[in-house]
């Protein structure tokens, strides 16, 4: 597939690489990785762009340590680019900014395949992979291209965050790719990424999360209400999943006129991405992996409270909780 991508890109002048909104390490690593391939192979002019914010301290440190140059997609003139590459998401997923009349030429992703992706000129979608950075790493291996320390560290961390730990799923190829990339990474940079100084609002959010959480059988349901950024929602879902005897965590919050949620499960048999998609039907968009998922719902005239109540009822029904007795943590 990488050779097909290279053949398509070769005659192009300017390449735009889009991450999903509020980018996480996997989409950042994948974007940096494909950019490096195109720059080294053809000396292409590549721009990586995103919409939203990079809120999580680890993610901001990753951008700094791996020297990933980023631009705000809403400030760019898309018509100046003759090739658009979308990484770690797909058209109509609801989590990427692309102006009307534009459509990605190339899509590289590991989430469940969306039918609209067929309209891309080239697509490489592998739902059995745990991360998109794994796919990009495989490109390097096929090409026999050596990884520099910045790209290697970005890809390694991208794979690790999407595949290791509760709420994550991985395949043999993900673990093998981590082993392949490991000799090229900079351990000092990785350590700085994984242990950044945390802002005070991080701890205020943890306090708020504990106060606003209820336990319903083996589920922790947390309504954060208004939050500073969407990364806090996903981060809270990961933290709460560490509670003993808990199998599910669902965290929802609001940023301006949009509700965002993260769903986690300790079991890989529950197909969490499908659950996320089903509970937002006719409300918004959602999806994810085997044990980790999320989504977004525009308020569109409804109150945030109404959205929370609807999603909560759908979630409880979907995961089989019939007697929703609520207890504090």
């Amino acid at each position: 597939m990488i050779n097909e991508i290279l053949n398509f890109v070769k005659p192009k002048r300017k390449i735009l690489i889009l991450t999903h909104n509020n980018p996480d390490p996997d989409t950042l690593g994948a974007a940096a990785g494909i950019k490096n391939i195109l720059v080294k192979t053809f000396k292409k002019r590549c721009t990586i762009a995103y919409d939203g914010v990079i809120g999580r301290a680890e993610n901001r440190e990753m951008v700094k340590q791996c020297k990933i140059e980023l631009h705000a997609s809403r400030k760019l003139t898309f018509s100046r680019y003759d090739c658009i590459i979308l990484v770690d998401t797909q058209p109509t997923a609801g989590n990427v900014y692309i102006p009307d009349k534009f459509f990605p030429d190339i899509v590289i992703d590991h989430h469940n395949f969306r039918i609209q992706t067929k309209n891309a000129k080239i697509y490489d979608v592998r739902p059995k992979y745990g991360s998109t950075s794994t796919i990009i790493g495989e490109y390097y291996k096929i090409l026999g291209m050596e990884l520099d320390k910045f790209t290697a560290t970005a890809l390694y961390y991208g794979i690790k965050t999407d595949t290791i730990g509760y709420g994550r799923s991985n395949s043999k190829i993900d673990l093998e790719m981590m082993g392949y990339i490991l000799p090229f990474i900079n351990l000092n940079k990785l350590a700085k990424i994984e242990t950044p100084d945390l802002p005070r609002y991080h701890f205020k959010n943890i306090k708020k999360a504990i106060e606003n959480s209820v336990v319903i059988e083996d589920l922790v349901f947390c309504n954060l209400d208004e939050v500073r950024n969407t990364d806090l929602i996903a981060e809270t879902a990961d933290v709460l999943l560490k509670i003993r005897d808990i199998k599910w965590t669902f965290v929802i919050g609001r940023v301006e006129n949009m509700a965002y949620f993260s769903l986690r499960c300790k079991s890989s048999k529950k197909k969490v991405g499908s659950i996320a998609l089903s509970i937002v039907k006719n409300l918004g968009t959602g999806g994810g992996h085997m044990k980790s998922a999320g989504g977004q719902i525009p308020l569109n005239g409804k109150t945030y409270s109404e959205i929370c109540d609807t999603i909560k009822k759908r979630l409880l029904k979907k995961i089989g909780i019939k007697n929703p007795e609520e207890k504090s943590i």
Side-chain angles (χ1 to χ4, degrees), residues 18-32 87-89 132-133 158:
L18 294 176
T19 73
H20 59 65
N21 298 343
N22 309 307
D24 63 9
D26 187 29
T27 194
L28 290 169
V87 294
D88 200 37
T89 186
T132 303
S133 292

Side-chain angles (χ1 to χ4, degrees), residues 17 24 26 75 105 133-134 155 162 168 175 183 185 212 215 247 260 269 283 291 298 300 326:
I17 302 169
D24 63 9
D26 187 29
K75 294 183 179 181
D105 299 288
S133 292
T134 299
L155 286 173
D162 252 30
R168 308 297 177 186
L175 303 179
I185 74 171
N212 291 14
V215 177
K247 293 181 180 179
Y260 297 88
K269 300 179 181 179
L283 291 176
K291 297 192 288 184
N300 289 340
E326 298 183 359

Side-chain angles (χ1 to χ4, degrees), residues 75-315:
K75 294 183 179 181
L76 299 178
T77 302
F78 276 59
S79 59
R80 292 181 178 179
Y81 300 90
D82 52 1
C83 179
I84 298 176
I85 301 175
L86 194 58
V87 294
D88 200 37
T89 186
Q90 295 173 57
T92 72
N95 65 342
V96 62
Y97 169 72
I98 303 179
D100 292 339
K101 298 181 180 180
F102 290 92
F103 197 86
D105 299 288
I106 300 170
V107 177
I108 307 170
D109 189 27
H110 73 112
H111 297 93
N112 291 333
F113 185 79
R114 292 176 176 267
I115 192 67
Q116 292 83 359
T117 299
K118 286 187 175 181
N119 294 321
K121 294 179 175 67
I122 298 174
Y123 55 86
D124 189 359
V125 180
R126 311 185 193 184
K128 293 184 179 180
Y129 282 41
S131 79
T132 303
S133 292
T134 299
I135 300 172
I136 303 298
E138 195 170 272
Y139 291 169
Y140 280 87
K141 191 174 182 179
I142 291 170
L143 294 171
M145 183 180 292
E146 186 170 325
L147 285 152
D148 63 79
K149 63 182 178 182
F150 302 106
T151 306
T153 305
L155 286 173
Y156 184 89
Y157 189 63
I159 298 171
K160 182 178 180 180
T161 56
D162 252 30
T163 62
I164 304 297
Y166 279 143
R168 308 297 177 186
S169 58
N170 58 66
S171 66
K172 183 180 178 181
I173 186 61
D174 297 305
L175 303 179
E176 289 178 346
M177 188 52 60
M178 289 181 72
Y180 176 77
I181 296 173
L182 183 60
F184 301 101
I185 74 171
N186 184 296
L187 290 173
N188 289 331
K189 289 183 177 297
L190 182 63
K192 289 179 180 179
I193 293 169
E194 294 183 325
T195 57
D197 290 336
L198 297 171
R200 292 182 180 180
Y201 70 75
H202 168 85
F203 300 97
K204 290 180 180 179
N205 181 72
I206 291 177
K207 179 177 181 292
K208 181 180 179 181
I210 293 173
E211 293 172 345
N212 291 14
S213 292
V214 292
V215 177
I216 309 171
E217 293 187 10
D218 54 4
L219 162 74
V220 172
F221 186 96
C222 176
N223 178 5
L224 287 175
D225 203 347
E226 187 173 356
V227 293
R228 189 185 184 110
N229 59 68
T230 59
D231 279 348
L232 289 172
I233 297 168
E235 193 170 1
T236 301
D238 290 335
V239 170
L240 293 176
L241 196 61
K242 296 178 181 179
I243 298 174
R244 183 183 298 171
D245 298 326
I246 291 299
K247 293 181 180 179
W248 301 86
T249 57
F250 184 92
V251 180
I252 189 167
R254 176 171 56 90
V255 178
E256 296 179 347
N257 200 41
M258 187 79 76
Y260 297 88
F261 69 86
S262 286
L263 175 64
R264 302 287 186 266
C265 183
K266 290 178 180 176
S267 171
S268 60
K269 300 179 181 179
K270 301 299 182 179
K271 297 183 179 180
V272 175
S274 298
I275 294 174
L277 186 61
S278 67
I279 64 174
V280 295
K281 187 176 181 180
N282 299 323
L283 291 176
T285 56
H289 320 294
M290 294 298 291
K291 297 192 288 184
S292 172
Q296 47 277 317
I297 305 166
L299 299 186
N300 289 340
K302 293 185 178 181
T303 66
Y304 171 73
S305 179
E306 288 173 333
I307 292 293
C308 286
D309 289 342
T310 299
I311 290 296
K312 187 176 183 180
K313 290 176 182 176
R314 290 184 178 184
L315 175 66

